[in-house]
Amino acid sequence: MFKYVIFDVDGTILDTERAILKSLDQVLREEGHAYPIEELRFALGIPGQETLRKLKVDDLERVHSKWSQAVLEFSHEVEVFEGLREVIQSLPEIPVRTGIVTSKTKQQLADEFEPFGLTSNFEQIVCADDTKNHKPHPDPLLLCLAKLNAPPNEAIYIGDSVYDMQCAKEAGVKFALALWGAKQRKGFESADYVLAEPKDMLQLLNE
């Protein structure tokens, strides 16, 4: 049914929640801003600069750079979700073509994603610095579709955040919720599919 599968990274391929929130909390405290961790969860799924802008952080460029370095200190807490590596590596056998649409910058992708050795499994990758508008705006996903020469009705976007779902809806692409990253269905009532674990992706794509 689908010929193109496009993935988000944070919370979908990589379990980065702890690293993102702990590093953000650390940097904000160093800058004199303290928030309960739960109030920072909105940061999961949007570009770092957008997060800091919403938090009304001064000297945004400097603090963003500082956060990008701080998150690497927590890299030991980041891992590929269990079972996902094998699923991704098996996708060409279906066959489907693959892409990534992430809120990471190119540098963040190089620092935080490439060490896991999965980059070569994706034909096209769209990062935060590839488009002026970011998720939940559809532009990043539309750019990936264009690079893949993929009709929207033949593609599916797999993500874990409301931003991912809104981006997919606006781009005319079906959305599958990665429940292993989202951890709850609340707020995702309009998701086209709910995947409880990575292997469910294969069942969906083989229908």
Side-chain angles (χ1 to χ4, degrees):
M1 180 167 58
F2 296 109
K3 297 179 182 177
Y4 304 87
V5 183
I6 303 171
F7 291 82
D8 171 47
V9 172
D10 290 326
T12 302
I13 297 176
L14 296 183
D15 187 356
T16 54
E17 180 178 312
R18 294 183 301 278
I20 290 172
L21 294 180
K22 286 182 179 181
S23 58
L24 177 57
D25 178 58
Q26 173 181 298
V27 168
L28 289 174
R29 288 179 184 277
E30 290 172 359
E31 294 294 318
H33 306 285
Y35 296 89
I37 285 286
E38 283 304 308
E39 289 185 18
L40 299 177
R41 294 185 64 82
F42 77 91
L44 302 170
I46 58 175
Q49 288 202 8
E50 183 64 22
T51 293
L52 297 176
R53 197 172 288 115
K54 286 178 180 291
L55 291 168
K56 297 180 170 55
V57 169
D58 295 325
D59 202 354
L60 194 140
E61 292 288 341
R62 178 185 64 80
V63 178
H64 184 247
S65 177
K66 185 177 179 180
W67 183 17
S68 293
Q69 290 303 308
V71 78
L72 299 178
E73 298 172 19
F74 295 91
S75 59
H76 61 284
E77 296 202 37
V78 178
E79 57 189 1
V80 179
F81 281 103
E82 186 177 354
L84 196 51
R85 182 183 296 273
E86 295 77 11
V87 168
I88 289 171
Q89 291 172 341
S90 70
L91 292 179
E93 300 168 13
I94 291 180
V96 293
R97 296 173 61 194
T98 55
I100 279 176
V101 170
T102 177
S103 292
K104 289 186 183 295
T105 63
K106 284 184 170 65
Q107 187 60 55
Q108 288 169 334
L109 195 80
D111 292 340
E112 302 167 31
F113 181 68
E114 290 183 9
F116 291 94
L118 287 170
T119 309
S120 63
N121 291 278
F122 301 95
E123 278 190 56
Q124 298 293 340
I125 297 178
V126 173
C127 295
D129 29 16
D130 288 319
T131 58
K132 179 180 178 181
N133 297 312
H134 307 114
K135 295 184 289 186
H137 198 281
D139 279 6
L141 188 49
L142 290 173
L143 176 59
C144 190
L145 292 172
K147 288 181 172 227
L148 287 166
N149 195 26
N153 64 336
E154 294 182 3
I156 187 167
Y157 187 41
I158 300 175
D160 67 299
S161 75
V162 171
Y163 309 116
D164 297 328
M165 182 172 69
Q166 291 170 341
C167 176
K169 296 291 183 183
E170 290 295 318
V173 170
K174 296 291 187 184
F175 175 73
L177 175 65
L179 197 58
W180 55 88
K183 299 182 179 67
Q184 60 177 5
R185 298 177 186 232
K186 185 178 179 181
F188 294 97
E189 288 78 12
S190 60
D192 298 291
Y193 305 95
V194 176
L195 307 175
E197 51 188 352
K199 68 179 182 181
D200 293 345
M201 201 184 311
L202 298 179
Q203 182 177 345
L204 171 63
L205 295 173
N206 279 307
E207 285 181 354

